[in-house]
């Protein structure tokens, strides 16, 4: 499986506290069947002042340590990026790393407050050629009350990333219910661990994979834990990443609104 959201790099944020924890996390991931992992420390101006300058050297250094210990985990660059007015500029100049230097990046909306005009902000990023992946919408405290915003972000062309532990109940009943709803409506693009350590927020995807496979079939689970994350790392067209919401298209229907809109935005490249 491929995990595109992790705080495995040490001492850059509230994730791994030291290199020993990073390596222990890598061993847990490999034992769980994870082969590829994006290193996505928080970028939160004033709190976690990360950039490509801190993230890339830490990633290369950890990869060298994993290789030296024959731990078969391939790392990719990325970041868990909070909203900020100058984000387009920082994505363009490379300061804020996208996932493996593709058009895709993790956008973490504020947990407690729905920012005004979040969809306009996402639209500007899309127009600039970047695709914001909305991280763990099911865990945002406002998402249940303002589910229409989550739906509109998805319709706009923002892939939704669910947290594996939300589906298994690790983040409580509300996050579990909301992740089930997003899945049921066919709006989830893929799952990730958002791992922070070796205790309760571990790099484990297999339990959620089993739940998705049990309810929606092996093929759908493969799409959400392997194929779409892989397509993101290779900068595939958004049409390959975005699901077709069940309510909008119906089985075998014409391509959904989301796909048509994204095809229009990206038709020139
Ligand atoms: Fe995160």
């Amino acid at each position: 499986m491929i995990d595109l959201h992790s705080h495995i790099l040490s001492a850059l944020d509230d994730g791994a506290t030291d290199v020993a924890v990073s390596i222990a996390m890598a061993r847990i991931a490999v034992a769980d069947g994870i082969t590829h992992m994006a290193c996505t420390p928080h970028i939160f101006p004033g709190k976690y002042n990360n950039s490509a300058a801190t993230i890339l050297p830490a990633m290369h250094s950890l990869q060298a340590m994993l290789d030296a210990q024959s731990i078969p985990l391939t790392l990719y660059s990325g970041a868990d990026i909070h909203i900020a007015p100058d984000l387009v500029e920082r994505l363009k100049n490379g300061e804020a790393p996208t996932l493996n230097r593709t058009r895709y990046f993790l956008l973490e909306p504020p947990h407690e407050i729905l920012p005004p005009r979040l969809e306009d902000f996402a639209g500007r990023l899309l127009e600039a050629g970047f695709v914001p992946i909305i991280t763990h919408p099911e865990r945002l405290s406002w998402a249940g009350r303002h589910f229409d915003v989550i739906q509109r972000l998805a319709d706009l062309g923002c892939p939704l990333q669910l947290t594996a532990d939300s589906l298994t109940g690790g983040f409580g009943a509300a996050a579990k219910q909301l992740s089930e709803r997003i899945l049921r409506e066919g709006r989830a693009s893929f799952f990730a661990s958002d791992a922070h350590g070796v205790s309760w927020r571990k790099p484990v995807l297999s339990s959620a994979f089993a739940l998705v496979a049990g309810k929606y079939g092996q093929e759908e689970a493969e799409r959400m834990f392997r194929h779409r994350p892989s397509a993101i790392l290779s900068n595939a067209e958004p049409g390959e990443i975005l699901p077709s919401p069940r309510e909008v298209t119906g089985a075998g229907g014409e391509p959904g609104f989301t796909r048509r809109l994204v095809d229009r935005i990206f038709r020139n490249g």
Side-chain angles (χ1 to χ4, degrees):
M1 292 173 287
I2 298 174
D3 188 0
L4 293 186
H5 187 163
S6 82
H7 299 264
I8 191 172
L9 298 180
S10 62
L12 292 182
D13 61 9
D14 58 342
T17 45
D18 56 41
V19 165
V21 173
S22 302
I23 291 172
M25 286 172 76
R27 288 191 190 282
I28 291 171
V30 169
D32 192 58
I34 295 168
T35 52
H36 301 75
M37 179 180 278
C39 306
T40 57
H42 292 287
I43 294 184
F44 192 157
K47 191 174 181 190
Y48 302 115
N49 293 313
N50 286 307
S51 67
T54 61
I55 295 167
L56 297 185
M59 180 196 78
H60 291 305
S61 154
L62 180 60
Q63 184 71 71
M65 282 184 257
L66 299 182
D67 294 348
Q69 298 191 39
S70 301
I71 299 171
L73 184 66
T74 305
L75 303 179
Y76 296 89
S77 54
D80 191 4
I81 306 175
H82 289 251
I83 60 172
D86 62 345
L87 185 50
V88 169
E89 199 178 307
R90 285 189 293 123
L91 288 164
K92 278 185 180 167
N93 68 21
E95 237 178 79
T98 60
L99 289 166
N100 196 30
R101 300 173 193 268
T102 63
R103 72 188 95 185
Y104 300 96
F105 72 98
L106 300 185
L107 180 69
E108 180 169 23
H111 279 244
E112 306 300 333
I113 299 164
L114 168 61
R117 297 187 295 281
L118 182 58
E119 300 103 302
D120 293 349
F121 181 71
R124 281 198 298 280
L125 289 157
L126 286 164
E127 279 164 22
F130 296 99
V131 179
I133 294 167
I134 308 299
T135 62
H136 47 65
E138 82 284 0
R139 283 162 44 206
L140 304 172
S141 66
W142 49 265
R145 290 190 312 277
H146 300 285
F147 194 70
D148 56 313
V149 175
I150 302 296
Q151 290 172 324
R152 286 200 297 275
L153 285 167
D155 287 342
L156 201 58
C158 302
L160 304 182
Q161 172 249 301
L162 297 179
T163 316
D165 280 352
S166 294
L167 192 62
T168 58
F171 284 97
K176 182 172 164 61
Q177 282 166 15
L178 215 45
S179 57
E180 286 170 347
R181 177 176 180 184
I182 291 169
L183 269 180
R184 197 169 53 241
E185 293 186 2
R187 295 185 183 278
S189 268
F190 68 98
F191 277 81
S193 74
D194 194 6
H196 277 65
V198 293
S199 52
W200 75 281
R201 295 177 76 178
K202 294 186 286 189
V204 166
L205 296 175
S206 58
S207 311
F209 183 104
L211 288 175
V212 173
K215 187 140 194 191
Y216 298 97
Q218 183 78 11
E219 218 176 290
E220 181 74 334
E222 294 283 344
R223 263 194 291 277
M224 292 195 176
F225 291 80
R226 225 184 303 275
H227 299 154
R228 287 191 188 126
S230 169
I232 287 170
L233 289 175
S234 57
N235 202 26
E237 293 298 318
E240 289 184 41
I241 317 299
L242 294 163
S244 294
R246 294 191 175 88
E247 290 181 346
V248 175
T249 62
E254 61 163 347
F257 171 76
T258 300
R259 193 154 299 179
R260 290 199 307 274
L261 180 70
V262 166
D263 284 349
R264 203 173 73 223
I265 290 173
F266 287 98
R267 69 180 180 273
N268 295 321

